[in-house]
Every structure is written in structure tokens, then in C-alpha cells.
Amino acid sequence: MITILRLGHRVVRDQRITTHVALTSRAFGADKIVISGEKDEGIVEGIKKVCEEFGGDFEAEFTENWEEFVEGWKKRNKKGTIVHLTMYGLDIDSVAKELAVKAKKTNMLIVVGGPKVPTEMYNLADYNVAVGSQPHSEVAAIAIMLDRVLGKKAKGRKFKGGNIEVIPNPRGKTVLQKDF
């Protein structure tokens, strides 16, 4: 199971980016997102609606305290791996194969920040990983990380349930709407 932890959500400033972190996490193969920071039930409800419409069992929830969440996750997942995505970490290509093996064998917590990430997160992580050494989006970092770790498993997967299925089409849009 791959869980994404989004640090430091701010309601007024981060609604769109946090939603995109969640949608990208879902689309690229993560199982769950936990959001810390200012509580915003609209994001959780929005993700639930996407799952209802497009299928899948991706989960979204808030946590009051990200440090307690990480410590609890570590206790529940003794062999699990914590990966913190930061532009200051190891180049992803130097650890991608190792992380892909770990993701197949154990649970993984992937952490992305918003505002300045506290030093404690760097120390709690098993890996501090960079998808680039320049400022970039958390959405891009999640997409690249999940692509490197899950590869083909993340691409083209089918989501069970849902009312809408998008069919690849070289021109235009093909959407199947389930009738009830």
C-alpha cells in the first residue's frame, strides 16, 4: 500500500494544488492521501466524488498532527519505507530501482510538503529524494516518483466501480457513461 502525506495544507492558498496532489496520487497508483494542515473537508469530499464517478477505492483523510501520524505509521509498518520528496534529496534515478523493490515488498509512505518542511521530516524519512534540484510542483514530484516506483502498474490501470470510463482516442473524447 502506498500512502501519500501532504504537509502544511492552507485552505485559502492550497486548495487547488492539494486537490491535484490527491488526483495525481490516485491516478498514478497510490492508495491513500493523508492531508495535514488546515482542515478542509471540501478536498476530501471532492476526492470521494471523483472515486464515485471514475471508480477505485482511493482514500482521503485529514490528520491534525503530521508528526503523530508519521510515528503511528512507522509503528504499524515496521518494515515500511518513508520517502520524503524534496529538491534537496538524492536524485531519484539513483534510488528508483531500490524504491521500486521496496514498494513491492512493503508499505510506503511518500511525503510532499507545501510551505517550508520542518527539519524533523528529513530525519524521520528513510529516503529524502529529489526529482530535480530546482523549485517545482509537488504534483510533478508525486507523478515522477510514482511512475519510477510503480512503472507500468500505474499506467493504464482499470478502476473498479464508478459511472464513467474514459476510452483512449487519438482524436476527440470517448466516454462511457454507465446506465443505472
Side-chain angles (χ1 to χ4, degrees):
M1 176 178 209
I2 294 179
T3 301
I4 307 300
L5 173 60
R6 165 71 158 121
L7 298 178
H9 173 74
R10 299 161 290 183
V11 173
V12 174
R13 183 173 176 166
D14 295 333
Q15 281 183 321
R16 190 169 177 90
I17 197 82
T18 299
T19 299
H20 286 185
V21 166
L23 292 173
T24 300
S25 298
R26 175 190 170 275
F28 279 76
D31 301 289
K32 179 178 184 174
I33 187 166
V34 177
I35 304 164
S36 74
E38 296 174 12
K39 194 164 187 174
D40 185 351
E41 288 297 332
I43 290 175
V44 172
E45 292 305 314
I47 297 305
K48 286 180 182 176
K49 285 182 182 178
V50 168
C51 291
E52 288 170 11
E53 288 296 310
F54 290 90
D57 54 1
F58 185 79
E59 298 175 40
E61 66 183 51
F62 269 88
T63 185
E64 295 276 327
N65 185 314
W66 70 267
E67 288 173 290
E68 286 179 13
F69 174 81
V70 172
E71 290 296 336
W73 189 92
K74 284 175 85 165
K75 286 178 184 171
R76 291 187 307 277
N77 299 278
K78 294 195 185 311
K79 294 182 181 180
T81 304
I82 299 175
V83 180
H84 171 223
L85 298 179
T86 171
M87 68 182 196
Y88 306 106
L90 298 170
D91 181 72
I92 191 164
D93 292 328
S94 70
V95 294
K97 287 181 184 175
E98 185 178 338
L99 292 175
V101 169
K102 288 181 179 283
K104 287 178 184 172
K105 293 181 179 180
T106 66
N107 291 333
M108 185 173 280
L109 177 64
I110 301 172
V111 182
V112 292
K116 188 175 187 295
V117 174
T119 304
E120 294 82 16
M121 188 62 245
Y122 290 85
N123 297 326
L124 288 168
D126 298 306
Y127 294 83
N128 288 290
V129 175
V131 300
S133 59
Q134 295 293 316
H136 59 277
S137 162
E138 301 94 327
V139 178
I142 287 289
I144 292 169
M145 173 67 180
L146 291 173
D147 181 67
R148 294 290 201 296
V149 169
L150 298 176
K152 290 182 181 181
K153 181 181 174 188
K155 295 176 185 168
R157 65 189 199 133
K158 298 282 185 183
F159 291 88
K160 294 179 182 175
N163 303 319
I164 298 171
E165 183 179 357
V166 177
I167 308 299
N169 183 330
R171 306 235 189 307
K173 299 176 183 178
T174 303
V175 178
L176 296 179
Q177 182 80 35
K178 293 182 182 176
D179 296 323
F180 294 99

